[in-house]
Amino acid sequence: MSGAGVFGVWLGRPRLARVSPDVNAPIGIFDSGFGGLTVARAVVDLLPHEDIVYLGDTARAPYGPRPIAEVRSFALQCLDELVARGVKALVIACNTASSAALRDARERYDLPIIEVILPAALKAAKITRNHRIGVICTHGTAASRSYNDALAASPVTLFTQVCPRFVELVESGITTGPTVLGLAEGYLSTLKEADVDTLILGCTHYPLLSGVISYVMGDSVTLVSSSDESARATFAMLTREDLLRGDIPEPDEVHRDFLTTGDPSLFKGLGQRLMGGFVREVRQVSLG
């Protein structure tokens, strides 16, 4: 592993270190696009007094079909941007980016880092009854075998199904209707045949399709949202690290900043369509 100690290096660049984060600093949340908004909203639900800065790399989304090395490079650029804005913790709200960049990020930043894979895997292993777990995800996450690794020590059998068009539909604002239902029936048929009783939504876009997914899988299958589990992990991490906000601000004093590398008006429009009033003003940033 490259880098050592507080002043280690990564690929010849100085480590971006903040040894003592300010408890009143915001939580930085990063995703390749819109899906991580499900994580951001779950974090806000659990930690309503915390400020957040959300960065969606919509100009280069989706990450799922891209080579792992390219995803790693893009993810670290986005995380660098959040660290430069003085966040106290990083949430990698993207399964593909977590798979590609988590190890490098933990070497690169002296900050608590929460990802979406391990929390969801641990939850699924805990609640499965027949020890047969399914995971639906992007090509990049499947190729990384991150969920296989996360569940390697658990007495379960994992069945993986790639659902590439789900992200495309969500980012077009399409979450219901015959197209979504038909795709879901096709994608999920092998998991139904495998008799899984627990299904991990291994992409943070997929909770926005949970109604259709639950309908196709049936009431006997429990869905595990990587978004919800990573939010719980964020709460636990900040509590353990004594990084919860030190004061209780008035509602209008809580800051929720939304940034995108793409078109901010498009991000705002789709964000409001998918998440209601959660997304307000959106600003554009340039990276790389």
Side-chain angles (χ1 to χ4, degrees):
M1 297 175 68
S2 60
V6 174
F7 300 103
V9 296
W10 178 86
L11 295 182
R13 296 179 59 183
R15 185 177 186 182
L16 303 180
R18 298 181 71 243
V19 177
S20 300
D22 177 2
V23 296
N24 291 327
I27 301 167
I29 304 173
F30 153 67
D31 182 52
S32 60
F34 297 94
L37 291 173
T38 60
V39 176
R41 184 166 64 181
V43 167
V44 167
D45 287 344
L46 292 179
L47 297 163
H49 304 305
E50 298 285 347
D51 293 343
I52 66 167
V53 180
Y54 180 95
L55 173 56
D57 191 12
T58 54
R60 301 182 291 196
Y63 280 7
R66 293 183 179 274
I68 291 294
E70 187 174 43
V71 172
R72 183 182 299 114
S73 174
F74 290 171
L76 291 171
Q77 287 178 5
C78 292
L79 295 171
D80 281 355
E81 177 70 21
L82 290 174
V83 171
R85 290 173 180 270
V87 299
K88 65 181 177 183
L90 292 167
V91 181
I92 305 177
C94 174
N95 283 259
T96 306
S98 293
S99 301
L102 179 61
R103 178 176 295 180
D104 294 298
R106 284 183 169 156
E107 291 183 6
R108 188 169 175 77
Y109 314 113
D110 189 16
L111 288 172
I113 299 176
I114 301 93
E115 45 87 29
V116 289
I117 292 171
L118 186 59
L122 294 178
K123 178 69 172 184
K126 182 177 180 180
I127 66 175
T128 182
R129 302 176 302 278
N130 68 1
H131 305 293
R132 300 173 72 82
I133 296 173
V135 60
I136 53 176
C137 56
T138 66
H139 282 294
T141 300
S144 74
R145 295 182 61 82
S146 295
Y147 279 99
N148 301 75
D149 293 342
L151 290 167
S154 301
V156 301
T157 302
L158 182 67
F159 301 87
T160 301
Q161 175 62 50
V162 172
C163 304
R165 287 202 61 201
F166 277 175
V167 171
E168 171 191 328
L169 290 172
V170 168
E171 300 224 342
S172 298
I174 302 170
T175 57
T176 60
T179 299
V180 179
L181 179 60
L183 277 175
E185 289 174 335
Y187 286 149
L188 301 175
S189 60
T190 57
L191 298 178
K192 293 181 70 176
E193 293 170 3
D195 193 32
V196 303
D197 75 345
T198 305
L199 179 62
I200 300 171
L201 306 183
C203 174
T204 51
H205 289 72
Y206 296 175
L208 294 165
L209 302 173
S210 59
V212 171
I213 294 168
S214 180
Y215 174 78
V216 172
M217 293 303 296
D219 293 338
S220 63
V221 176
T222 301
L223 304 187
V224 174
S225 166
S226 57
S227 299
D228 290 342
E229 298 310 316
S230 64
R232 293 187 182 98
T234 300
F235 183 98
M237 173 70 80
L238 295 183
T239 301
R240 287 195 305 270
E241 299 289 332
D242 198 23
L243 284 174
L244 293 175
R245 186 164 183 166
D247 61 345
I248 304 297
E250 295 296 324
D252 60 354
E253 295 176 339
V254 178
H255 299 287
R256 294 169 188 167
D257 296 329
F258 295 93
L259 310 172
T260 178
T261 58
D263 183 341
S265 61
L266 178 62
F267 189 102
K268 179 180 178 180
L270 183 54
Q272 290 183 338
R273 179 177 176 182
L274 295 174
M275 310 294 285
F278 181 67
V279 178
R280 296 179 182 177
E281 296 306 313
V282 181
R283 289 178 292 134
Q284 187 178 41
V285 295
S286 298
L287 303 177

